[in-house]
Amino acid sequence: SAAAWAKEDKEEGRTSIETSLETGEPVLSIPKMSHGTAKSKTGGSKAPGSHEPIDFLATGFKVTTNCAFSVKILENFKLRSDHLLSEIKADEKGIEDFEGEMLRLKQRKSFLESRIVENKAWAANYDEHFGPFVNKYKEFMAQMAVLYQNAKDKHANGLKMLMKHFDYHPEFKRWSDTFSAVPFRPK
């Protein structure tokens, strides 16, 4: 199994790929090498320049395993970098949207501030320019009230004259009445 190979590699001081406990990602483990002597499988030191026979099956498996882990690391890096790039693009679009909204709000603010200045100027000049017209309107309404009261009095006097001279009854018409009218009482 891969765990047995990794353990054997670690014991023999060879390069191996292990899985990190924190992230669960493959990690390349390279042991420190001593220079000048090589260790044999039996544990003794060999003279420099002597070699052990190469186990091609084991070495091929280790190379294949190391390549697979390397590919997994690169693919993982590619996925994460693509995800980060998409987040960066989304953030840039969000910044553009935010800046556009800020610009619209600043324009609206300057428009409203200019309207406030105009309205304050108009309110300050209102009494000066429109005050006389307001006073004239109040005088006109007072005169209209007097004229309307006179009209109501004349109307009431007219109804009394109709009752006296034509035997008019304002509430209902009698069968013998020759004159008919609809009464109106202004308020």
Side-chain angles (χ1 to χ4, degrees), residues 132-144:
F133 295 112
V134 172
N135 291 337
K136 289 269 186 195
Y137 178 76
K138 288 179 183 175
E139 290 174 14
F140 173 75
M141 290 306 289
Q143 289 173 358
M144 288 303 294

Side-chain angles (χ1 to χ4, degrees), residues 27-86:
V27 176
L28 185 59
S29 172
I30 302 174
K32 292 184 179 177
M33 301 294 283
S34 61
H35 297 287
T37 60
K39 289 189 176 179
S40 68
K41 285 190 178 182
T42 58
S45 268
K46 287 185 175 184
S50 64
H51 299 285
E52 283 187 27
I54 298 174
D55 184 3
F56 289 106
L57 184 61
T59 306
F61 179 76
K62 288 178 186 178
V63 168
T64 304
T65 305
N66 287 345
C67 287
F69 281 134
S70 299
V71 168
K72 183 176 179 184
I73 289 171
L74 290 175
E75 285 178 354
N76 208 0
F77 173 76
K78 173 79 170 116
L79 289 173
R80 288 183 180 197
S81 66
D82 288 346
H83 179 71
L84 286 175
L85 288 174
S86 67

Side-chain angles (χ1 to χ4, degrees), residues 72-162:
K72 183 176 179 184
I73 289 171
L74 290 175
E75 285 178 354
N76 208 0
F77 173 76
K78 173 79 170 116
L79 289 173
R80 288 183 180 197
S81 66
D82 288 346
H83 179 71
L84 286 175
L85 288 174
S86 67
E87 284 184 2
I88 289 170
K89 285 181 183 176
D91 288 345
E92 287 172 351
K93 184 183 180 318
I95 288 171
E96 287 176 12
D97 293 345
F98 180 76
E99 287 173 349
E101 188 65 27
M102 286 295 293
L103 178 65
R104 283 189 288 279
L105 289 175
K106 285 179 183 177
Q107 290 171 344
R108 177 78 175 150
K109 180 182 175 184
S110 65
F111 170 75
L112 291 176
E113 286 173 346
S114 66
R115 287 289 308 267
I116 287 171
V117 169
E118 291 173 9
N119 288 341
K120 283 183 178 179
W122 183 85
N125 292 327
Y126 177 79
D127 289 336
E128 182 181 324
H129 290 36
F130 296 103
F133 295 112
V134 172
N135 291 337
K136 289 269 186 195
Y137 178 76
K138 288 179 183 175
E139 290 174 14
F140 173 75
M141 290 306 289
Q143 289 173 358
M144 288 303 294
V146 169
L147 290 174
Y148 190 67
Q149 187 59 43
N150 288 342
K152 287 189 340 187
D153 292 342
K154 298 253 182 202
H155 183 67
N157 289 340
L159 282 177
K160 287 180 187 173
M161 185 178 75
L162 287 173

